[in-house]
Each structure stands twice: as C-alpha cells, then as structure tokens.
Amino acid sequence: MEYLEFELPIKELEDQLQKCMVIGEESDVDVTETCSQIEKKLEETRKDIYKNLTAWQRVQLSRHPNRPYTMDYIRAICGDTFLELHGDRNVKDDKAMVGGLGKIGDQSYMFIGQQKGYNTKTRQYRNFGMANPEGYRKALRLMKSAEKFGIPVVCFIDTPGAYPGIEAEERGQGEAIARNILEMTRLKVPIIVVIIGEGASGGALGIGVGDKVLMLENTWYSVISPESCSSILWRSWEYKEQAADALKLTAADMKKQKLVDEIVKEPLGGAHSNREKTFETVKNKISSHYEELKKLSPKELVKTRMDKYSDMGVFNG
C-alpha cells in the first residue's frame, strides 16, 4: 500500500499496530488492550483526515497509484460479458481510450473510458491516459453503434487531458473533441458519465456530455490542472494548492455549480481502500439512473440534455 504525504499519520499508527501484534505473538504478553487503543486512535485519525480534505488533497487522492482505473470498473461491473472493440476505422487503435459492449444483469451497455497504466511500461503503452484524436473518433464510432442498436452509453472519465503532442494537433485534436461534444448532445440513447479520477480540460469533455453526470467523492473536474494553472498565473508549480482552491474543482464545488448531477460516496480512505464496495456502488448508480432515463423517448432525451447544458452558466441578476 502506498501512502500520500497527508496520510503518513495513518501509516505510523498502522505500523505501531503491526508491531504491537508481533510483540504479542512473539512474547506471549497480553497486548489486547494496547492494540485496541491503537485501533481506536487509528479509526479517529482516519475520520479526522478524510473528513477534512482540502481541494489539493482530493486531487492527490484522484491520482493515487492504487486507485481503480476504467478497466477495473468495467471488469468488476460486467465480469465475462465485456467485449472490447478497437480502432477508429481511420488511423489506428488508441490504447488510451478503451471501449466495448458489456452487461449489467440483462441490460447491455456501451462502455467507454480513458485508461491509465499501472507501471512504467503500461503507462507508456496507455500514453498516461491521454487520448489522441483517433481515441475520440473511436469513442464516437462506438457511441454511434450504440445509438444504432438502442444501447445506452456509459463513459468513465479519468484523464490528465487530451494528448497535446504536435501529431495530435496535425490529426485534428480540437475538431475531434468538438465533434464528440456536438454528437453527444444529440445522441438518441441515454448517456451516463462517471468521473472516476481526473477530469481535466477538453480531454474529459470529449466523452463528458451526458444525461446524468456522476462524480466520485475524491475526484476533480476542471478546465485546467492545478499545476498548469499555477505555472500560468504564478510562473511556478509551487502554488498548486492555492490554484486547486481557486479553481473550485472538487465534487462538492461542481454539484453546487450544478455542473454535475450527483456525488457518489467513496469508502473512507478513497476508492482504492475498498474497491469491491466502490464497484458495487457505481454499478448500482448506473442501473438506477438508466431505469429512470429509459422512460424518456429519444426526442425527450435529447431535448432534456440540450436544455441541461444550455442552462449552464446562465446568471439571473
């Protein structure tokens, strides 16, 4: 288990608990009371730390190396029913964007999402979750297939942004994202978007237009990352914590601004601390929102979605 800087008090107590148990086993001394005191302190410390997280600490949690990624959710939710589909039928198969058909119960869904890597090799293979234009075109191809067969779409967002390389710009990165936003607003099937990690810039928006947008508790959604914002405003990355506060990028901020529909609670300590519980919660949320959305006709679905996004940013003075 890896620990973030603000989680170190938890690590210290866990180490103490481990030592206490070892002493009890090795020396036949009754350490039950001492262990229970440490456990109580550990529980209090956990609650104290995770109930008062700053915006920057939530950004750090969203990037936690043990945090589940898109394919972890898909495998846990769909089991053996998932069939991955590849390629944009134009350039190549973008490994940073994954997608395919899968089932929750008897209902089929088209799952799409950005995938990060688990170690250096897979991070390079997945391009750190930063999709090229062909990734967004693959996503659009899958959405159009879903629309053709009347299958709802589920998008998992977890990206530090779309790939900013020169070859991506040459192949029309901006156009690919803009096209996706346009096509998603008028897609005639339900779209459920779940932000499971980082939701940065146009890279997130390229698969982020939905009838229902859900945000996990320790994720962020913003036009720019705190580090990049800090380097533009202060010419240094040192002010990333202030930038995170100023950007109002947490789930609570997004819900308050009516930019997302629901905050999905995570287990204490983040999604990675109890993966099974997180997967089960997300699975149930997808199913319940689909049950609600399937009652609407395609025409009503598109109108409601367009109205929702048209109302964003409207200010009545």
Side-chain angles (χ1 to χ4, degrees), residues 232-297:
I232 291 169
L233 294 181
W234 287 280
R235 301 282 188 271
S236 160
W237 279 29
E238 295 296 310
Y239 300 91
K240 53 188 180 286
E241 292 176 41
Q242 286 98 308
D245 281 330
L247 283 165
K248 298 280 180 265
L249 43 65
T250 66
D253 294 322
M254 289 289 124
K255 182 79 171 71
K256 193 178 172 186
Q257 304 285 352
K258 297 187 173 63
L259 299 173
V260 299
D261 300 288
E262 189 181 344
I263 299 169
V264 180
K265 289 282 285 179
E266 290 184 26
L268 194 70
H272 56 282
S273 65
N274 188 342
R275 286 174 163 234
E276 284 66 36
K277 190 179 175 185
T278 307
F279 296 147
E280 193 60 31
T281 307
V282 170
K283 179 181 173 179
N284 293 337
K285 290 287 181 192
I286 291 168
S287 297
S288 63
H289 281 295
Y290 174 63
E291 287 302 314
E292 204 181 301
L293 293 167
K294 74 175 184 183
K295 295 170 189 166
L296 301 174
S297 69

Side-chain angles (χ1 to χ4, degrees), residues 13 173 195:
L13 285 166
Q173 185 73 286
I195 300 159

